[in-house]
């Protein structure tokens, strides 16, 4: 039997013991679980970035994986925690938009608002629901508990981020920068299927009017030059060959790109 997989996405960083505590809770209940760190370097409280991470990674994981996503600015408030089934996988997260992109793209087979404390730790901290609520729920789920027992079945998430699709018309595609990755590449919400012609037969106009060609790969551009390309996630990226587009351009999450 394949060991169950629990994957963690957080903004906790790697300096403190928060991630280890969540893993300890899961392993205490399910010692055979395989634990995967997706990332713990989501910028603090950046729900949009976390939603993008989850959207990009889910299809690389086997069916039945439980994702624990703890980017939770509202921890300790009345914001719900939900258990969601989507794209053949399972998610435990605050209902604050972090699952928006996954559900927007793949739909939700099941949404449960987790209200039953019998599936939580006995003592719940007001500031660490990742350890005391979400990790125990993940452990119960991979151990075979029906998630409907966690609380109340709902029709949908209660919080959705703004739609991540670009605006497409007959002559152009207007997208926006979603985030900058570790290399300084500017990742947009434009996907290869949105492009009016096959790359590299098109050009991208940045918000400041800069026009850059779409390349197949970084190495086909001159060192230090600006280029666009379709990255491994299928998204259009703006990059500097051997450098950082994030440093080269003044950008924000609403910076526009037009193809």
């Amino acid at each position: 039997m394949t060991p169950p997989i629990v994957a963690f996405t957080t903004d906790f960083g790697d300096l403190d013991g928060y991630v280890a505590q969540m893993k300890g809770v899961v392993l205490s209940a399910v010692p055979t679980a395989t634990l995967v760190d997706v990332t713990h370097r989501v910028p603090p409280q950046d729900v949009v970035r976390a939603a993008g991470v989850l959207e990009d990674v889910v299809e690389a994981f086997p069916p039945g994986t439980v994702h624990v996503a703890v980017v939770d600015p509202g921890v300790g408030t009345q914001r719900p925690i939900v258990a969601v089934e989507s794209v053949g996988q399972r998610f435990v997260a605050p209902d604050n938009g972090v699952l928006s992109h996954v559900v927007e793209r793949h739909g939700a087979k099941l949404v449960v608002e987790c209200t039953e404390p019998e599936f939580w730790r006995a003592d719940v901290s007001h500031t660490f629901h990742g350890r005391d609520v979400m990790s125990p729920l993940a452990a119960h789920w991979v151990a075979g508990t029906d998630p409907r027992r966690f609380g109340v079945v709902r029709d949908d998430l209660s919080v959705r981020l703004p739609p991540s699709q670009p605006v497409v018309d007959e002559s152009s595609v207007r997208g926006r920068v979603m985030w900058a990755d570790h290399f300084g590449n500017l990742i947009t919400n434009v996907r290869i299927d949105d492009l009016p012609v096959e790359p590299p037969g098109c050009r991208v106009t940045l918000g400041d009017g800069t026009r850059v060609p779409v390349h197949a790969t970084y190495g086909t551009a001159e060192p230090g030059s600006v280029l666009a390309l379709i990255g491994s996630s299928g998204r259009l990226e703006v990059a500097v060959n051997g450098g950082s587009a994030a440093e080269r351009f003044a950008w924000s999450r609403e910076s526009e790109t037009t193809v």
Side-chain angles (χ1 to χ4, degrees), residues 56-67:
D56 283 348
V57 304
V58 290
E59 292 181 89
F61 279 86
T65 297
V66 175
H67 294 267

Side-chain angles (χ1 to χ4, degrees), residues 1 72 81 105 161 200 255:
M1 181 178 178
D72 193 12
I81 292 171
R105 188 172 181 189
L161 299 175
S255 297

